[in-house]
């Protein structure tokens, strides 16, 4: 089954304790991205990756790191989480980043709800 | 002012009604217009997208884009309880790197 998986699905942590949220896709997609979803603000892109070893900042990258060492995995790292990073996080992937092509559908993972106390 | 404005709802309609969901935007560079459906505790899923102005139909769903008014719509005909979800509009100039999402409209279809 084609899917994007995220782990953990739920996480409660404390300020300053480093954490990693994993994202994996089994569709051989080149493009992957991370979003956070907050009430009243919608989905905002944190980081994206065009391919292995190619990453770039989205709209809200402060406080986050990513890496793309393998095509299928795109972990999100919070080295020193703060309460303002409490949010619902989504990983997404697609074959390419260019819209308007037949294989440009972006697939989202099920989400990770993070609470930072 | 946000680049994309979307009424959060909630919007409650009886089963079988025609639903109209709308977004306005301010960035003239947007060329691709998308609608996502998000069920509770799930990730968004792409319903359909439209390039530039015009209409696109897919089953009970019709997407309309009016670039002159900077206004997009999603119509759902013969709405079903299974359509109850939050609907997100999204727009981009050309690629997913610069997608801007609306905040979503929560729809409830009452049997």
């Amino acid at each position: 089954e084609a899917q994007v998986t995220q782990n953990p699905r739920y996480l409660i942590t404390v300020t300053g304790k480093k954490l990693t949220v994993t994202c994996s896709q089994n569709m051989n997609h080149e493009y992957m991205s991370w979003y956070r979803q907050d009430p009243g603000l919608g989905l905002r892109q944190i980081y994206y990756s065009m391919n292995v070893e190619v990453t770039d900042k989205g709209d809200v990258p402060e406080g986050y790191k990513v890496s793309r060492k393998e095509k299928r995995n795109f972990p999100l790292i919070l080295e020193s989480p703060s309460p303002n990073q409490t949010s619902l996080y989504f990983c997404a992937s697609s074959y390419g980043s260019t819209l308007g092509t037949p294989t440009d559908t972006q697939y989202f993972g099920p989400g990770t709800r993070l609470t930072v106390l | 002012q946000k680049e994309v404005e979307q009424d959060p709802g909630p919007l409650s309609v009886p089963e079988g009604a025609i639903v109209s969901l709308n977004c306005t935007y301010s960035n003239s560079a947007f060329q691709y217009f998308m609608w996502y459906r998000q069920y509770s505790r799930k990730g968004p899923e792409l319903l359909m997208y439209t390039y530039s102005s015009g209409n696109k139909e897919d089953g009970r769903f019709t997407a309309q884009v009016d670039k002159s008014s900077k206004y997009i719509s999603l119509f759902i005909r013969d709405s079903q309880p299974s359509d109850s979800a939050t609907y997100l509009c999204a727009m981009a100039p050309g690629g997913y790197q610069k997608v801007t999402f609306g905040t979503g409209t929560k729809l409830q279809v009452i049997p």
Side-chain angles (χ1 to χ4, degrees):
Chain A
E1 180 189 354
Q3 60 183 355
V4 178
T5 57
Q6 295 179 227
N7 282 293
R9 294 289 312 279
Y10 302 90
L11 179 61
I12 300 175
T13 189
V14 295
T15 299
K17 187 176 181 181
K18 182 179 178 179
L19 66 91
T20 299
V21 183
T22 64
C23 172
S24 182
Q25 48 90 8
N26 63 358
M27 295 169 278
N28 201 35
H29 284 170
E30 291 189 349
Y31 185 82
M32 297 184 75
S33 59
W34 275 103
Y35 296 88
R36 59 178 290 173
Q37 188 175 35
D38 302 289
L41 296 175
L43 275 161
R44 294 177 292 168
Q45 189 161 215
I46 303 169
Y47 268 95
Y48 62 88
S49 170
M50 303 286 279
N51 212 326
V52 176
E53 302 291 2
V54 181
T55 63
D56 207 346
K57 297 177 181 178
D59 297 322
V60 288
E62 293 76 22
Y64 304 95
K65 285 178 59 176
V66 293
S67 69
R68 187 91 182 272
K69 293 182 174 19
E70 306 167 282
K71 199 171 188 178
R72 63 182 293 131
N73 297 321
F74 190 42
L76 179 69
I77 303 157
L78 286 72
E79 295 210 322
S80 183
S82 61
N84 64 11
Q85 293 178 298
T86 292
S87 187
L88 181 57
Y89 291 87
F90 289 101
C91 179
S93 74
S94 59
Y95 279 108
S97 64
T98 304
L99 287 156
T101 60
T103 56
D104 56 11
T105 300
Q106 189 175 46
Y107 296 88
F108 281 81
T112 295
R113 185 166 293 280
L114 172 66
T115 301
V116 183
L117 302 175
Chain B
Q1 183 191 4
K2 291 180 182 177
E3 271 192 308
V4 178
E5 299 276 1
Q6 186 174 10
D7 188 331
L11 181 62
S12 291
V13 300
E15 182 176 354
I18 297 175
V19 176
S20 173
L21 304 167
N22 312 294
C23 288
T24 59
Y25 64 96
S26 58
N27 189 342
S28 299
F30 290 146
Q31 295 285 347
Y32 292 92
F33 304 89
M34 294 157 281
W35 286 97
Y36 287 82
R37 178 175 60 197
Q38 185 176 17
Y39 290 115
S40 181
R41 301 183 190 281
K42 300 284 187 182
E45 57 177 325
L46 181 67
L47 275 176
M48 54 201 307
Y49 78 84
T50 309
Y51 172 70
S52 194
S53 284
N55 295 358
K56 188 172 185 179
E57 189 172 320
D58 185 1
R60 296 185 295 111
F61 298 89
T62 300
Q64 285 186 353
V65 175
D66 181 348
K67 290 189 73 180
S68 62
S69 302
K70 295 188 173 66
Y71 188 88
I72 72 169
S73 300
L74 178 71
F75 296 96
I76 307 174
R77 291 185 299 280
D78 187 25
S79 57
Q80 302 294 309
S82 59
D83 295 327
S84 297
T86 296
Y87 290 80
L88 308 169
C89 63
M91 310 174 188
Y96 282 124
Q97 303 95 308
K98 296 295 181 186
V99 171
T100 301
F101 284 84
T103 52
T105 299
K106 188 170 185 178
L107 171 67
Q108 183 178 20
V109 181
I110 302 168

